[in-house]
Amino acid sequence: MKIDVIGDIHGCFDEFRNLTIKLGYKWRSGLPRHPDGRKLGFVGDLTDRGPLSLKTVSVIASLHKEKDAYYTPGNHCNKLYRYFLGNNVKILHGLETTTAELSALTEKERHVYKTLFIDLYENSPLYHVLDDGNLIIAHAGIKEEFIGKYNKRVKTFVLYGDITGEMNEDGTPVRKDWAKEYKGKPWIIYGHTPVMKPRMMNKTVNIDTGAVFGGSLTAFRYPEIELISVPSTLAFSEEQFRTFPQ
């Protein structure tokens, strides 16, 4: 299979469009399609913080419905899903930008986006196992021993990473560097933790290069094992990026 997996978009629709064009996709139909039949993959966190979350959802939900994309949910996707279900979620950490977009719409328009997103979320797996098990797309990554499992512990890991239960000063959870210990054969393509440049280690690749924080939006090309990025149009915020020890 030939696939281009895109990192956390977070409502950065212009960067998403620019990246797909750089990857060779054409937007003649209003959706990105590749002349060679390549497909897009997404590590989740389509919305929140960026300026065009709903437009991003609309395009990716349409691609997914036509079986032209592989989408896996991130923790922000999970929160938006619970919000649409009417659950009591805190409008923080970026969700406020998505709800502001929704508030500017008519009730009928809001219902359209709600239906689109719920359908996308409920008809997507927690993580994708592709190419006979050689490629895995999981939002925050996945341990080798978790592959093929879908219990609560695995869901927490895939959505939030290898969290310790402790909290950083900014209120985010402390995460272990699980990729450093990975020894599996499948490529694990993930995001969730913003890094200045794509981090490739032990057949894991973190492609969340912080587009919404002024970094870049990155794609991992498979089977070529290539990384393609476009710069963000937003203001740079260095403190949002994590530096891993090598």
Side-chain angles (χ1 to χ4, degrees):
M1 70 179 308
K2 292 185 177 181
I3 184 171
D4 301 306
V5 187
I6 293 179
D8 304 42
I9 300 174
H10 279 300
C12 295
F13 181 84
D14 291 343
E15 288 80 354
F16 166 51
R17 192 176 192 279
N18 291 342
L19 180 57
T20 56
I21 290 170
K22 189 173 182 178
L23 291 165
Y25 290 77
K26 310 296 182 186
W27 284 74
R28 296 188 190 101
S29 65
L31 297 175
R33 302 190 189 281
H34 201 283
D36 296 335
R38 300 184 70 94
K39 292 192 176 184
L40 291 168
F42 300 93
V43 301
D45 282 6
L46 307 181
T47 65
D48 298 351
R49 296 194 178 106
L52 294 169
S53 288
L54 298 184
K55 195 170 183 180
T56 303
V57 165
S58 178
V59 167
I60 293 168
S62 298
L63 284 172
H64 181 266
K65 193 169 186 178
E66 296 181 19
K67 302 189 185 310
D68 271 340
Y70 298 93
Y71 157 82
T72 54
N75 56 305
H76 284 261
C77 303
N78 175 263
K79 190 174 183 180
L80 181 59
Y81 174 68
R82 290 183 285 117
Y83 170 82
F84 276 139
L85 292 183
N87 294 2
N88 184 22
V89 299
K90 293 181 179 179
I91 312 300
L92 297 169
H93 303 301
L95 181 58
E96 62 271 21
T97 64
T98 305
T99 55
E101 282 192 64
L102 289 164
S103 297
L105 303 177
T106 65
E107 185 176 346
K108 184 178 180 180
E109 289 169 333
R110 284 195 295 273
H111 182 73
V112 168
Y113 283 106
K114 176 181 177 179
T115 303
L116 266 179
F117 188 78
I118 287 177
D119 182 68
L120 171 65
Y121 188 95
E122 291 185 347
N123 288 287
S124 298
L126 178 62
Y127 56 91
H128 274 289
V129 181
L130 303 171
D131 195 29
D132 297 322
N134 291 308
L135 177 68
I136 294 172
I137 306 172
H139 175 63
I142 189 168
K143 287 185 175 181
E144 183 182 11
E145 61 266 31
F146 287 170
I147 298 170
K149 299 176 182 177
Y150 296 88
N151 56 43
K152 187 177 180 181
R153 186 181 175 200
V154 174
K155 182 177 181 180
T156 297
F157 191 103
V158 169
L159 290 180
Y160 299 98
D162 197 359
I163 53 177
T164 66
E166 299 174 340
M167 303 299 285
N168 294 307
E169 289 183 5
D170 63 358
T172 58
V174 174
R175 304 166 193 165
K176 295 180 186 176
D177 188 4
W178 66 272
K180 207 164 187 178
E181 309 301 322
Y182 179 73
K183 293 180 171 60
K185 291 182 179 179
W187 282 97
I188 311 291
I189 314 304
Y190 70 106
H192 185 57
T193 303
V195 287
M196 290 281 195
K197 59 182 181 179
R199 186 190 189 221
M200 190 178 294
M201 175 173 281
N202 301 331
K203 293 192 82 172
T204 76
V205 192
N206 181 350
I207 55 170
D208 180 3
T209 45
V212 78
F213 300 124
S216 59
L217 188 63
T218 296
F220 175 83
R221 308 202 85 185
Y222 181 89
E224 294 86 354
I225 318 300
E226 293 176 355
L227 292 159
I228 308 291
S229 300
V230 295
S232 174
T233 60
L234 303 179
F236 183 67
S237 178
E238 185 174 356
E239 64 270 18
Q240 300 293 340
F241 292 83
R242 176 162 175 193
T243 302
F244 286 92
Q246 297 300 318

